[in-house]
Amino acid sequence: MSLPERAAELRAPFARLGRLRLPGLLTRAGLTALRAEVLGLRRCLVRREYDSVLTGSDLAAAGPLVARLGSDPDLGALVSAIAGVAAEPLPDPARRLSLSVLDRPGDRIEPAPGGPPLALALFLDAPASPQDGGMLEYRPVSWSAGRAGPGAGGPGPGSPDRRSGGAALPEPLLRAHHAPGDGCLMRADVTEPRVTPLRAPGVRRVVLTIGWAVGRPLADRRAPAGAALR
């Protein structure tokens, strides 16, 4: 992995949206190695109604790279710097690491309670075109006032706003497309992320997600430059 420098400068856009795309977070060699470890577990995946998943100790045993990512201190420091809160390891391994595979037309992911508050999605495979589906769909964190983390603000879902003369504003719903090798950090406890259905045969979306709990707020200071994981 190649971690971005000056991570604290990314804190403002993350606080506003509750989501931050990290393009090219996985190097080409890292992407190839992670794919080899993770896709070797295809036979262990559990098929749900709209996707296939694997979590917990079975996933942690995939290989040394997956196991390292689940507890890597440099990666945790990057997440903390961007989120503005201490990213704390989750005690439950089933919530700390998860693998989701969408490979059939109509496969999708709906919001589910009980997920990790802070989640870093690593895209190992993704549809080449947004028209093929598999896009991340989420609500900005600023529309979840009262539940949002540090730096978030604004009206809650459907709440009145002065610009609308007291009328309830519609809830915005944003979409984002990611390429293989990208990362995406999310405040998953407030943005209610989901994934749009796959629309074409032969396309696939494979995502490894690493989760953290939300700890104490960090002081607003420049974070140290990111390190490179090799």
Side-chain angles (χ1 to χ4, degrees), residues 104-182:
R104 306 178 187 180
D107 274 4
R108 63 182 186 269
I109 297 176
E110 295 292 337
L118 277 171
L120 175 66
L122 300 176
F123 292 81
L124 308 186
D125 210 343
S129 169
Q131 283 69 41
D132 291 334
M135 297 182 69
L136 177 68
E137 193 172 68
Y138 67 102
R139 300 190 187 284
V141 76
S142 62
W143 284 74
S144 301
R147 296 185 297 154
S159 64
D161 185 270
R162 287 176 299 179
R163 294 168 299 171
S164 61
L169 293 173
E171 296 182 357
L173 195 61
L174 305 182
R175 287 183 175 178
H177 180 256
H178 296 84
D182 284 357

Side-chain angles (χ1 to χ4, degrees), residues 13-192:
F14 178 77
R16 184 173 66 253
L17 295 178
R19 169 218 168 248
L20 183 70
R21 178 175 177 252
L22 298 168
L25 184 62
L26 292 173
T27 64
R28 182 173 299 181
L31 176 60
T32 299
L34 270 177
R35 276 176 170 169
E37 282 192 4
V38 168
L39 294 182
L41 296 172
R42 289 292 299 273
R43 65 185 183 281
C44 302
L45 291 170
V46 176
R47 179 69 190 181
R48 301 190 298 192
E49 186 175 4
Y50 295 115
D51 66 341
S52 299
V53 298
L54 187 65
T55 62
S57 57
D58 289 336
L59 182 54
L65 289 180
V66 173
R68 179 184 174 188
L69 286 174
S71 58
D72 188 273
D74 289 335
L75 192 57
L78 172 72
V79 171
S80 296
I82 295 174
V85 294
E88 299 180 347
L90 290 165
D92 183 358
R95 299 177 66 211
R96 192 182 310 138
L97 286 170
S98 65
L99 176 70
S100 175
V101 177
L102 281 63
D103 57 4
R104 306 178 187 180
D107 274 4
R108 63 182 186 269
I109 297 176
E110 295 292 337
L118 277 171
L120 175 66
L122 300 176
F123 292 81
L124 308 186
D125 210 343
S129 169
Q131 283 69 41
D132 291 334
M135 297 182 69
L136 177 68
E137 193 172 68
Y138 67 102
R139 300 190 187 284
V141 76
S142 62
W143 284 74
S144 301
R147 296 185 297 154
S159 64
D161 185 270
R162 287 176 299 179
R163 294 168 299 171
S164 61
L169 293 173
E171 296 182 357
L173 195 61
L174 305 182
R175 287 183 175 178
H177 180 256
H178 296 84
D182 284 357
C184 180
L185 182 62
M186 294 173 286
R187 273 301 303 263
D189 56 345
V190 292
T191 57
E192 299 177 342

Side-chain angles (χ1 to χ4, degrees), residues 1-13 20-25 74-75 77-79 81-83 221-230:
M1 300 181 74
S2 180
L3 306 185
E5 297 184 351
R6 297 181 294 277
E9 296 178 7
L10 303 174
R11 191 175 298 176
L20 183 70
R21 178 175 177 252
L22 298 168
L25 184 62
D74 289 335
L75 192 57
L78 172 72
V79 171
I82 295 174
R221 62 178 183 272
R222 181 177 296 274
L229 290 179
R230 303 184 186 279

